[in-house]
Amino acid sequence: MKIPTRTRYRKRIGAFSAVDVKHDESVVSFSTAAEFYNFDMSSGSLRDGYGLELNKLVPVSSSGYWVYRYYSEEAGRNVDQYVYQMVTGALRYYDSYTGRTKLISSTSYPPIDALNYRLNGKDVLLMSCEGHRLLTWDGAALVEHAETPVITSMALHYERLFVTSRSDPTKVFFSDDLDPTNWTASATEGGFIELLDERGELNKVVSFANYLYIFRDRGISRVTAYADQTEFSVANLFVSAGRIYPESIAKCGTVITFLASDGLYVFDGYECRRVLRELDGLFTDRAVACAFHNGKYFLSCVMDFADGRSIGCESVEHTANALLVFDPVSGEYSITRGVDISFLGSCSFDGTDFLMAHDKLSSGVVVRNGMRFNKLLPKRWRGPMTDFGAPDLTKAVREIYVDSATDCALTVDVGKKTKTKTAAAGSRRVRFNVAAKRLSLAIDCDASDCNIAPPTLVYTSY
């Protein structure tokens, strides 16, 4: 096809900064991605997104990780003991003072939640899991307390342990103050709070900003619960248009972040605010795990990319396929596609902070490397199908200028056909000579340590 000589125009994408899968591509700006995964664009350029790598601190056969901190008379200081749940459900520990690694229990427990507590003058790790009553580990013995409820979530609040239970999802149970193993219902010991209204079942309790918050199927209730239970009071704060996924709820500094069936929310203790509305088309009906680490909210979930591709874990059976990393303060985010993460936990080992993750392949830590355990995840950015504000004119793309630290592929889609060319690392001019009234540009990269600056299209119109 011979393209007539015309005045040349330049169209620079501008800083990479946003994704919009909610609105029609015809109304989205050229620098906004209509398709995006495995890149990080917080710097304005396209760099490696988050991924997973092996780490000697995390056994590859572990599926959960907690730090049990206790006072050692022998050491004369607090000592960290690292408790692991293995993929078999068994529990083991590594003691940072003695250097011992030992089996706690060979029982196959469901996924465990854990927190530290000082019980009767002794440091213990409180643990709960589906179908079991409260477990305590004191460094020597694991005890299951038969008199406690079967726990689905738990939170310490003003020296009481508050829990939800699958056996009675309309109630929040609470222990005696200063003794989370005493659940005797009385005016001076333990008891329960029953909530029966349109907000539905009680799924998770969170102690936050001097209150206890109860996250329910379709709303949030707030409990004012100080030491004297006769002064407990309940206020209903929020009714959601969609179902709240309890696996997505995490305290993130001054807010609580969670996913509902109608989108992502941040909650400051009084009001809920929808965020990342432009991603509404990606979220589906499943959240798997979450954590808050180094100022960012990490959410493992299922996303519908609707492009017919299979990336990473998507080629086999999986429970999750995406990791959303969101900064509640700046609003910046990235999306990793192709990881099947079932556990996330923010941990510290000898002064080193890391985010532990269990993927079906292995266990390791979350890092910004764009890989899934030594295998690169393909990265993609695609802009919207656009007419550059001139729907009546044909645009002939003559060349594209791109500056990249690694090789990458550029694809121009004109609707009926696509044309792809490879741009070698460095500052390059890539000739295209393809024409259409509407077109889109995609950038794909399969290399590590990438850094792709926003490219410039040179075109003529007629």
Side-chain angles (χ1 to χ4, degrees):
M1 175 182 177
K2 185 177 180 180
I3 300 176
T5 302
R6 294 287 189 276
T7 301
R8 294 192 172 202
Y9 301 93
R10 292 176 177 265
K11 184 72 173 180
R12 191 168 190 268
I13 286 181
F16 296 108
S17 60
V19 183
D20 193 333
V21 297
K22 177 181 179 181
H23 297 97
D24 188 85
E25 293 185 21
S26 63
V27 300
V28 176
S29 69
F30 189 53
S31 61
T32 297
E35 188 179 349
F36 172 83
Y37 51 82
N38 295 335
F39 279 122
D40 179 85
M41 56 183 177
S42 58
S43 66
S45 63
L46 298 178
R47 300 190 176 189
D48 290 339
Y50 287 84
L52 303 170
E53 74 174 13
L54 299 175
N55 189 293
K56 64 181 181 181
L57 303 180
V58 180
V60 296
S61 58
S62 63
S63 61
Y65 178 105
W66 305 272
V67 178
Y68 162 51
R69 184 164 290 124
Y70 69 97
Y71 184 79
S72 168
E73 295 285 352
E74 182 180 351
R77 58 179 173 83
N78 287 325
V79 172
D80 287 343
Q81 190 179 96
Y82 304 94
V83 177
Y84 301 93
Q85 183 169 25
M86 314 310 288
V87 292
T88 61
L91 295 170
R92 300 184 68 88
Y93 75 80
Y94 166 76
D95 193 286
S96 62
Y97 175 67
T98 65
R100 287 197 301 263
T101 298
K102 192 174 180 180
L103 179 70
I104 295 175
S105 173
S106 60
T107 301
S108 181
Y109 290 106
I112 280 178
D113 186 21
L115 49 86
N116 283 271
Y117 187 77
R118 192 165 184 83
L119 176 64
N120 298 326
K122 190 171 186 178
D123 296 313
V124 298
L125 189 67
L126 304 179
M127 294 186 282
S128 66
C129 58
E130 187 74 34
H132 287 263
R133 301 180 188 276
L134 182 69
L135 300 162
T136 57
W137 166 249
D138 63 2
L142 181 69
V143 178
E144 183 167 354
H145 300 269
E147 67 279 8
T148 66
V150 176
I151 299 170
T152 53
S153 81
M154 62 181 181
L156 282 169
H157 184 74
Y158 283 97
E159 300 303 332
R160 294 182 189 267
L161 187 64
F162 288 79
V163 306
T164 55
S165 177
R166 192 78 66 202
S167 61
D168 198 341
T170 64
K171 296 176 182 176
V172 169
F173 297 87
F174 56 87
S175 70
D176 189 8
D177 60 332
L178 301 174
D179 188 357
T181 64
N182 180 5
W183 296 83
T184 302
S186 74
T188 59
E189 296 174 282
F192 63 86
I193 302 169
E194 187 169 27
L195 300 176
L196 297 170
D197 57 52
E198 74 279 6
R199 290 167 179 81
E201 294 184 354
L202 285 57
N203 299 313
K204 184 155 185 169
V205 284
V206 179
S207 179
F208 176 71
N210 297 321
Y211 294 99
L212 183 80
Y213 292 92
I214 307 169
F215 286 80
R216 306 167 64 180
D217 280 345
R218 296 182 178 274
I220 303 172
S221 299
R222 184 182 68 201
V223 178
T224 303
Y226 301 110
D228 187 350
Q229 62 172 283
T230 61
E231 298 179 2
F232 288 7
S233 63
V234 179
N236 293 317
L237 301 181
F238 172 69
V239 176
S240 171
R243 181 177 178 272
I244 298 172
Y245 303 124
E247 302 83 3
S248 71
I249 301 167
K251 290 193 291 186
C252 302
T254 59
V255 297
I256 298 173
T257 306
F258 65 89
L259 180 68
S261 58
D262 60 334
L264 192 70
Y265 287 83
V266 294
F267 174 61
D268 64 5
Y270 296 92
E271 296 180 341
C272 276
R273 176 171 56 89
R274 282 279 306 278
V275 294
L276 303 189
R277 291 175 179 265
E278 63 273 19
L279 300 185
D280 283 355
L282 282 178
F283 291 120
T284 63
D285 61 351
R286 185 167 176 80
V288 178
C290 69
F292 181 62
H293 178 74
N294 284 350
K296 291 182 171 58
Y297 170 73
F298 293 76
L299 173 67
S300 174
C301 61
V302 177
M303 289 188 176
D304 182 11
F305 293 93
D307 60 1
R309 300 185 180 192
S310 292
I311 305 297
C313 69
E314 295 174 345
S315 60
V316 296
E317 185 178 352
H318 54 276
T319 56
N321 71 333
L323 177 68
L324 172 71
V325 183
F326 170 61
D327 188 327
V329 176
S330 68
E332 294 175 346
Y333 60 93
S334 71
I335 297 168
T336 298
R337 178 182 179 183
V339 291
D340 188 4
I341 297 174
S342 59
F343 175 86
L344 289 164
S346 182
C347 306
S348 178
F349 186 95
D350 287 344
T352 300
D353 296 328
F354 61 92
L355 181 63
M356 184 265 185
H358 174 66
D359 177 276
K360 187 173 290 185
L361 281 183
S362 186
S363 294
V365 297
V366 178
V367 293
R368 197 174 293 186
N369 68 354
M371 304 177 75
R372 186 189 184 207
F373 299 119
N374 300 320
K375 187 172 183 179
L376 283 165
L377 293 167
K379 299 177 277 286
R380 183 171 177 83
W381 180 98
R382 181 181 68 81
M385 188 69 71
T386 181
D387 57 18
F388 293 164
D392 56 324
L393 297 178
T394 296
K395 276 69 67 175
V397 179
R398 305 299 298 274
E399 53 204 21
I400 299 176
Y401 289 87
V402 61
D403 188 353
S404 174
T406 59
D407 293 355
C408 63
L410 305 176
T411 299
V412 176
D413 184 348
V414 296
K416 294 182 179 180
K417 65 177 182 178
T418 61
K419 191 170 186 177
T420 300
K421 290 199 172 184
T422 299
S427 297
R428 304 296 177 186
R429 180 182 67 170
V430 183
R431 296 184 181 276
F432 265 88
N433 290 333
V434 60
K437 288 187 176 180
R438 299 175 71 242
L439 58 89
S440 71
L441 172 67
I443 303 172
D444 293 277
C445 181
D446 293 332
S448 59
D449 299 320
C450 68
N451 188 355
I452 306 171
T456 297
L457 279 74
V458 178
Y459 69 96
T460 59
S461 62
Y462 55 92

